[in-house]
Amino acid sequence: MAAACVMVLGTTSGAGKSWLTTALCRYYSNQGLKVAPFKAQNMSNNARVVEGIDGAWGEIGSAQYFQALAARAVPEVRMNPLLLKPEADTHSQVVLLGQVSEPLTALPWRGRSAVVWPQIAAALDELRAENDVVVIEGAGSPAETNLHASDIVNMRVARHAHARCLLVTDIDRGGAFAHLYGTWALLPEDERALIHGFVLNKFRGDASLLAPAPQHLQERTGVPTVATIPMQWHHGLPEEDGVFDDRSTTPGAVHTTVAVVAYPRISNLDEFQPLKNVPGLRLQWVRSPADVAGLRPTDWIVLPGSKATAADLVWLRAQGLDQSIAAHAGQGGTVLGVCGGLQMLGEALIDPEGIDGNGPGLGLLPLVTVFEPAKTVRRTSAAFGPLAGAWAPLSGVAACGYEIHHGQTAQHPAMAAKGDVVREVMPGIAWQNPAGNVLGVYLHGLFEDTAVLHALFGAQAPTLETVFDGLADGVARHFEPGVLDALIA
């Protein structure tokens, strides 16, 4: 018998679909059910390496990776069959069932939808056949009438799966009841019938003051408001786009600031989520030299991943941040580059195949990166060799993570001939400058490794299991009694 399907739709992007889907995955798993997440199409540069087809590694959106873990399922590519990774404002790399597809990347969006729907439907059908419950996440809003005819992620999925849908809205933005009613009203009648409950998310204040709006909404739509979920600054789950702000800083005196450079094509920001939960650590965005003006040498500047390394490096120079980073490193300040950030720290980017772009690096590590058509996508476990300076606590520490990159990086041969030799502290994956304050790594997910966190900070962030159970407990408290179980009955 096919699995029951519960679908989480949103009135807007950022309404709370991803975290609610994650919470429901753990809630239903806690009932002893076999659960899988599903999102037909995700647009994000936050991706994870998971089990692919025929034993190959593949990519899915980070949100579905965490949802799978919450469901106590092995993350795999069918859970997010189509991933769009933006490379420019009007262009995305298309990943189908975990693998980059150049033909699909070249197709216009509406033409692509018709081609990929059979594979999306097949992936969903397979998951339904193998599980008791599939929790499905929509994208954006289901009521975008200009996109309805070519929809492959919202109501077409809901109809195909006979899903019982929840429609969630961000009440903190204002206009929540209008958003809910307007979304419902714009749907065709047969699709309205799939909406089984409205959810008010991110509420601050006295819930009794909401009356009589939920009652009026139900009178107009026939749909009850089934949950009012309070604002949560510290739920512990990475946001869909990796965004963090000062309100999410852990309590207590700040001893270290970690300043993350927020260039336009930033990627994989979700991997820094564990740092938000380390006592005394503060994460902040960096977009201008003024943002790093007060940093001490013990504070960090992080160059995260990028989906367009050469273009983001041009942006970084245009802001004057290249000089700020060089000055911080020059006074012994701690600098970390991850993946694209590692490539930026080197001397040069060389792109003979037109993959990313050519350009000079920041010159903080004597490395050169050559972009190749084949993308490295794999899970990686390796131990750090001896490190110096600020990174010395990582010496000998075994770390697990993942790699997603077109670039291949190595010692700059001409600089080596002159005696400027980088310290390769993890073969083919991590390099350090002789002074010990600058480290570049290809390994994503470093701070999700408890051994790494403990070595660097003597602290341990809450485990994902704790986070997932907290989310499940929250929805159990804030949904009306019996609603969640009725959705799968």
Side-chain angles (χ1 to χ4, degrees):
M1 187 172 69
C5 292
V6 177
M7 188 166 187
V8 180
L9 302 166
T11 57
T12 61
S13 295
K17 294 183 293 292
S18 293
W19 88 261
L20 181 54
T21 302
T22 308
L24 293 178
C25 282
R26 177 50 60 100
Y27 175 86
Y28 289 121
S29 177
N30 282 348
Q31 313 309 309
L33 299 168
K34 187 177 182 184
V35 182
F38 181 81
K39 183 168 185 172
Q41 174 181 284
N42 199 345
M43 177 175 282
S44 178
N45 277 330
N46 292 330
R48 294 292 171 129
V49 176
V50 301
E51 291 187 3
I53 306 298
D54 298 328
W57 293 113
E59 297 178 68
I60 65 172
S62 291
Q64 283 63 64
Y65 171 84
F66 288 111
Q67 288 160 6
L69 297 183
R72 298 185 175 94
V74 177
E76 45 117 330
V77 296
R78 293 180 301 171
M79 296 169 176
N80 175 209
L82 193 66
L83 174 63
L84 309 181
K85 305 187 77 173
E87 296 178 316
D89 289 341
T90 58
H91 177 79
S92 294
Q93 182 183 68
V94 178
V95 179
L96 178 65
L97 290 171
Q99 303 300 313
V100 174
S101 173
E102 296 299 341
L104 288 175
T105 298
L107 280 178
W109 184 81
R110 284 185 169 86
R112 181 192 306 148
S113 298
V115 174
V116 300
W117 172 252
Q119 294 175 81
I120 288 172
L124 175 55
D125 290 343
E126 290 168 7
L127 291 175
R128 292 184 69 200
E130 298 166 11
N131 292 277
D132 301 316
V133 178
V134 177
V135 185
I136 305 171
E137 181 185 342
S141 162
E144 304 293 350
T145 55
N146 58 313
L147 304 178
H148 192 271
S150 51
D151 171 43
I152 55 170
V153 65
N154 285 312
M155 300 315 295
R156 188 173 186 180
V157 172
R159 294 195 310 269
H160 182 85
H162 307 289
R164 295 178 176 180
C165 301
L166 298 170
L167 182 61
V168 60
T169 192
D170 177 357
I171 195 170
D172 193 54
R173 293 184 177 185
F177 293 102
H179 285 163
L180 290 168
Y181 180 77
T183 301
W184 176 88
L186 285 170
L187 294 176
E189 189 171 344
D190 62 325
E191 295 178 359
R192 293 178 189 171
L194 298 175
I195 308 296
H196 284 249
F198 295 138
V199 176
L200 301 172
N201 189 30
K202 304 182 184 179
F203 180 72
R204 291 189 279 184
D206 181 355
S208 67
L209 298 178
L210 294 171
Q215 293 84 351
H216 289 170
L217 188 61
Q218 185 169 358
E219 291 167 4
R220 288 168 171 80
T221 65
V223 179
T225 298
V226 295
T228 300
I229 300 172
M231 178 69 77
Q232 301 175 70
W233 297 119
H234 303 289
H235 56 64
L237 191 70
E239 300 293 340
E240 169 70 15
D241 57 2
V243 172
F244 51 80
D245 57 39
D246 289 345
R247 289 171 294 186
S248 61
T249 302
T250 52
V254 173
H255 58 70
T256 304
T257 294
V258 176
V260 182
V261 180
Y263 20 75
R265 297 298 165 202
I266 196 167
S267 68
N268 293 81
L269 270 186
D270 56 308
E271 65 183 305
F272 301 111
Q273 167 67 35
L275 295 181
K276 293 167 58 178
N277 301 323
V278 174
L281 211 63
R282 177 175 180 263
L283 267 69
Q284 71 173 57
W285 292 112
V286 170
R287 295 187 175 94
S288 72
D291 296 331
V292 299
L295 293 184
R296 303 160 299 174
T298 53
D299 295 325
W300 297 16
I301 292 180
V302 177
L303 281 68
S306 167
K307 194 64 184 70
T309 305
D312 278 346
L313 190 49
V314 169
W315 174 89
L316 188 147
R317 285 195 166 95
Q319 312 311 307
L321 279 166
D322 56 332
Q323 299 176 42
S324 298
I325 295 166
H328 184 69
Q331 65 173 351
T334 305
V335 177
L336 173 67
V338 181
C339 198
L342 154 68
Q343 296 165 356
M344 293 182 190
L345 291 176
E347 289 291 328
L349 306 175
I350 301 174
D351 187 15
E353 304 291 338
I355 304 299
D356 190 289
N358 298 290
L362 297 176
L364 295 181
L365 293 173
L367 298 169
V368 61
T369 295
V370 178
F371 293 104
E372 298 182 354
K375 181 189 279 192
T376 298
V377 178
R378 63 190 176 203
R379 299 287 303 178
T380 301
S381 298
F384 283 100
L387 289 99
W391 303 103
L394 289 178
S395 299
V397 173
C400 297
Y402 59 101
E403 297 178 60
I404 306 177
H405 54 91
H406 281 281
Q408 299 299 321
T409 300
Q411 166 74 52
H412 192 296
M415 298 183 73
K418 296 179 180 179
D420 190 356
V421 179
V422 71
R423 299 164 57 95
E424 191 171 18
V425 295
M426 190 181 281
I429 300 174
W431 296 264
Q432 183 185 37
N433 66 337
N437 61 313
V438 179
L439 177 67
V441 299
Y442 266 124
L443 196 64
H444 287 291
L446 198 62
F447 301 114
E448 295 169 353
D449 191 299
T450 55
V452 170
L453 274 187
H454 189 268
L456 289 172
F457 305 109
Q460 183 171 328
T463 66
L464 282 173
E465 287 299 302
T466 301
V467 170
F468 296 146
D469 284 334
L471 294 177
D473 291 344
V475 295
R477 286 195 308 273
H478 298 300
F479 271 76
E480 293 295 322
V483 167
L484 296 179
D485 295 334
L487 290 173
I488 62 170

